[in-house]
Amino acid sequence: MEDINLHFTGDFSAIEKANNLLAALIDNNIQSKPASLGIDPRTVHWKRVMDMNDRALRRIIIGLGGTASGIPRETGFDITAASEIMAILCLSENFHDLKERIGNIFIGFTLDKKPVFARDLNAQGAMAALLKDAIKPNLVQTLEGNPAIIHGGPFANIAQGTNSVLATKMGLSLSDYVVTEAGFGFDLGAEKFLDIKCVSAGLQPQAAVLVATVRALKYHGGVPLADIQKPDAEAVARGTENLEKHLENMLKFNICPVVAINHFADDTEEEIQAITDKCRAMGVKCAVARVHAHGGQGAEELATLVSQVAEACQSDMTPLYDWNWSIEKKIETIATQIYGASAIDYTQQARADLKKIQDLGLEHLPVCIAKTQKSLSDNPQLLGRPANFIVTVREIEIAAGAGFVVPITGNIMRMPGLPAKPAAENIDINEEGKITGLF
Amino acid sequence: MLSDIEIAQGTALKPIKEIASRLRIPEDQLEPYGHYKAKLPLSLIDPEKMRGKKLILVSAISPTPAGEGKTTISIGLSEGLNRIGKQTTVVLREPSLGPVFGIKGGAPEADMHR
């Protein structure tokens, strides 16, 4: 466990290096007279990254120290997982594809308003070389000694939020079943998994498991966190409207759903019943998994159900939208169909970004909407199944290398901070090299 | 009650070669990183072998501070499928290092693996 949580096989370090090489090449070009592309430093969005929660690096001024030390400009650090290189690595099929995607990274504009891409700096070869080993999926094992492949970790809001395409294909090449996970709720990670990753890589899920807990549904049903362990089957029933909307969304993709109730010791029969009743009413199969208490044995009933559903599943997954639609139509389709919004509003900035995307000829890219994970809407306070709300698109970022655009509907944290009492204070190592204090 | 790391450290790990041989990976193609981790060369990906295989996506309801447990279920489901005789690999994201020093749940957790 400490091996996975600390450094692992060095993939994040390699991604960090590739990302920061591009940053160095950009600032070098801004500095260099003979090779200058005429980049306008004010239009450069590419940031450096570091795999550390360090809020002091969010906004910095670089290039101080006189003419030999660069042109001063404002920039910042993101955490490595937020790098576009992470998203690129996780969608790449091979080195050729990797280099092409890296070359397509949009950097900014020249002073005479021409777009600049990473390929204009001849960055793609060296950046891909730094990713030589990081592109290979990592094999480890589960507690019960079964194979696990762990590879890539992009965000589920500003990026696609699932492990690499290559890891999924590796798993499917080596075993009969692959179980994989998409970040946050179905509206965020799974929508992107299906509309971006599956379409890009030609993948098809044969079953989709929606995880719910009694306590989370109670929370959606209006119970405050402090009372979450008190039995309240009615609150669970109220909260199932959130589950219901996610199930409706799954059916829109024409995939075969299963609900997994992740069982906790304080769940009551009546509370479980409230969930199974909702599933039955919707014609969706459901199983209780007692993984906390019994490990894999506690998941045998779920496993049997999932394998039955996967083997009987006849339908082909249909993406929600066609990549060739306009950016606005794609955003509107996701927001109304999946989130349940009544309308979309664009800020002036977002309208300007739409025009920029059109001018750059990138309208064919899929959309990767960055939205709060806490609500189906763009307002984190609205639990359950919100209705009659408007989604506001504030700006639209371009991730031309990864191959999508990112409509932003809220505040996105790309460089987290540490809490007042960081977990680091409890981590230690003894003379035998044994690590303690990791959770 | 044991913490996740105590459970992980108390479990005897198999050499990664043994895990790889169960997946019929030729030993000369495995790229071990120490005893319990390995890199897999891309040449092992074979579209022919992917045909007819089952891909299971695990997702969740809207996350709450009360917790849902997607990773727990993903790993548990893969253990359960292996137990009922379906040869299964769980495929997950790598955790970020930054949140390890902050608070729990800040990154995709790999809480049952080493």
Side-chain angles (χ1 to χ4, degrees):
Chain A
M1 175 168 136
E2 59 266 41
D3 273 357
I4 287 177
N5 281 344
L6 304 175
H7 305 305
F8 195 31
T9 54
D11 296 346
F12 275 57
S13 301
I15 289 163
E16 183 181 305
K17 286 287 174 294
N19 181 100
N20 294 345
L21 171 59
L22 181 57
L25 290 171
I26 293 168
D27 282 303
N28 185 55
N29 190 272
I30 293 172
Q31 167 82 351
S32 159
K33 266 197 183 138
S36 177
L37 294 170
I39 298 171
D40 180 349
R42 299 163 303 181
T43 65
V44 174
H45 294 292
W46 193 258
K47 289 184 183 170
R48 285 160 175 84
V49 298
M50 185 189 282
D51 201 17
M52 188 61 64
N53 284 20
D54 191 349
R55 64 169 69 78
L57 292 174
R58 278 177 199 154
R59 294 172 84 110
I60 57 170
I61 306 285
I62 58 166
L64 300 177
T67 51
S69 300
I71 308 271
R73 67 181 183 93
E74 185 183 347
T75 180
F77 272 78
D78 288 342
I79 193 162
T80 305
S83 170
E84 189 178 342
I85 303 296
M86 176 66 86
I88 289 173
L89 185 86
C90 290
L91 284 170
S92 292
E93 302 275 348
N94 49 45
F95 281 110
H96 176 82
D97 187 24
L98 177 69
K99 283 189 279 189
E100 192 157 300
R101 286 176 192 267
I102 291 174
N104 287 342
I105 293 171
F106 173 60
I107 291 167
F109 290 98
T110 61
L111 288 161
D112 50 7
K113 307 272 190 290
K114 292 203 182 76
V116 181
F117 298 90
R119 57 178 174 264
D120 299 325
L121 293 164
N122 299 314
Q124 63 275 24
M127 288 170 69
L130 284 168
L131 299 169
K132 171 180 167 283
D133 291 315
I135 199 171
K136 297 172 190 163
N138 307 294
L139 179 67
V140 290
Q141 63 192 285
T142 64
L143 267 185
E144 297 184 15
N146 290 312
I149 294 175
I150 299 197
H151 193 223
F155 279 18
N157 43 34
I158 54 165
Q160 70 274 28
T162 64
N163 59 264
S164 72
V165 163
L166 289 168
T168 305
K169 290 191 169 178
M170 182 68 76
L172 290 168
S173 299
L174 298 173
S175 55
D176 296 336
Y177 273 74
V178 164
V179 176
T180 192
E181 180 194 354
F184 297 140
F186 187 88
D187 55 328
L188 278 179
E191 184 275 316
K192 289 163 189 172
F193 178 91
L194 298 166
D195 280 326
I196 299 176
K197 179 177 173 176
C198 284
V199 174
S200 166
L203 293 167
Q204 274 274 354
Q206 279 67 42
V209 177
L210 191 74
V211 180
T213 57
V214 161
R215 42 175 75 191
L217 290 172
K218 251 187 271 188
Y219 189 81
H220 278 294
V223 174
L225 199 56
D227 297 333
I228 219 77
Q229 276 159 294
K230 289 185 197 151
D232 189 345
E234 278 177 30
V236 174
R238 282 197 303 277
T240 57
E241 62 175 13
N242 183 269
L243 175 93
E244 178 181 47
K245 174 61 177 157
H246 287 295
L247 286 175
E248 286 173 17
N249 288 346
M250 292 169 99
L251 297 172
K252 287 179 184 172
F253 285 92
N254 206 23
I255 50 177
C256 300
V258 172
V259 170
I261 303 172
N262 183 12
H263 189 269
F264 282 70
D266 47 21
D267 296 350
T268 67
E269 286 300 317
E270 293 73 29
E271 289 174 320
I272 301 273
Q273 191 65 42
I275 306 174
T276 51
D277 284 350
K278 174 62 81 178
C279 294
R280 194 175 308 113
M282 295 190 71
V284 174
K285 296 204 167 73
C286 166
V288 176
R290 293 178 166 82
V291 180
H292 289 291
H294 305 290
Q297 204 184 352
E300 282 184 22
E301 186 193 333
L302 175 66
T304 305
L305 182 60
V306 166
S307 70
Q308 282 167 358
V309 168
E311 271 153 51
C313 185
Q314 294 294 333
S315 54
D316 282 344
M317 187 274 286
T318 46
L320 194 70
Y321 60 84
D322 185 331
W323 285 17
N324 290 315
W325 291 356
S326 72
I327 299 288
E328 283 162 286
K329 188 173 174 190
K330 285 181 274 199
I331 293 172
E332 187 189 315
T333 303
I334 297 170
T336 55
Q337 297 283 315
I338 300 297
Y339 307 158
S342 46
I344 323 296
D345 194 18
Y346 293 87
T347 63
Q348 215 170 0
Q349 177 64 50
R351 292 252 169 241
D353 292 336
L354 280 171
K355 168 94 172 45
K356 184 161 79 179
I357 291 162
Q358 224 167 17
D359 292 347
L360 290 168
L362 299 174
E363 274 236 297
H364 63 283
L365 295 179
V367 295
C368 182
I369 300 182
K371 177 182 79 70
T372 177
Q373 72 270 23
K374 294 176 182 168
S375 171
L376 277 156
S377 76
D378 61 350
N379 175 357
Q381 309 296 328
L382 303 179
L383 300 175
R385 181 179 185 159
N388 301 316
F389 61 91
I390 292 172
V391 166
T392 305
V393 178
R394 302 180 187 191
E395 57 178 317
I396 308 175
E397 293 184 0
I398 296 167
F404 47 72
V405 298
V406 188
I408 310 266
T409 67
N411 293 320
I412 303 300
M413 177 52 65
R414 291 156 205 265
M415 175 48 100
L418 289 170
K421 180 96 178 130
E425 292 182 20
N426 300 320
I427 298 172
D428 201 5
I429 185 165
N430 69 11
E431 284 306 319
E432 284 77 52
K434 191 181 166 193
I435 293 174
T436 51
L438 285 175
F439 30 68
Chain B
M1 198 176 150
L2 295 174
S3 70
D4 287 347
I5 190 166
E6 285 164 340
I7 292 170
Q9 287 176 340
T11 307
L13 282 176
K14 296 174 188 163
I16 200 66
K17 276 192 268 183
E18 222 174 279
I19 305 294
S21 75
R22 276 183 47 197
L23 295 172
R24 293 183 292 277
I25 299 171
E27 210 180 307
D28 60 349
Q29 292 191 35
L30 193 69
E31 300 176 18
Y33 271 52
H35 301 293
Y36 307 112
K37 299 176 279 190
K39 282 276 181 189
L40 301 176
L42 303 187
S43 56
L44 292 171
I45 296 173
D46 182 350
E48 285 295 313
K49 290 186 180 156
M50 288 166 55
R51 277 208 195 117
K53 302 297 184 62
K54 306 294 180 203
L55 176 60
I56 314 296
L57 170 66
V58 176
S59 181
I61 59 167
S62 302
T64 70
E68 292 71 46
K70 279 192 304 287
T71 309
T72 305
I73 289 292
S74 298
I75 297 169
L77 174 59
S78 78
E79 311 271 37
L81 283 164
N82 275 304
R83 278 169 177 269
I84 63 166
K86 307 285 181 191
Q87 190 218 14
T88 305
T89 300
V90 65
V91 181
L92 298 171
R93 284 172 290 169
E94 288 179 54
S96 185
L97 182 60
V100 168
F101 303 112
I103 48 165
K104 185 162 182 156
E109 61 279 62
D111 58 355
M112 287 177 74
H113 297 85
R114 276 206 204 194

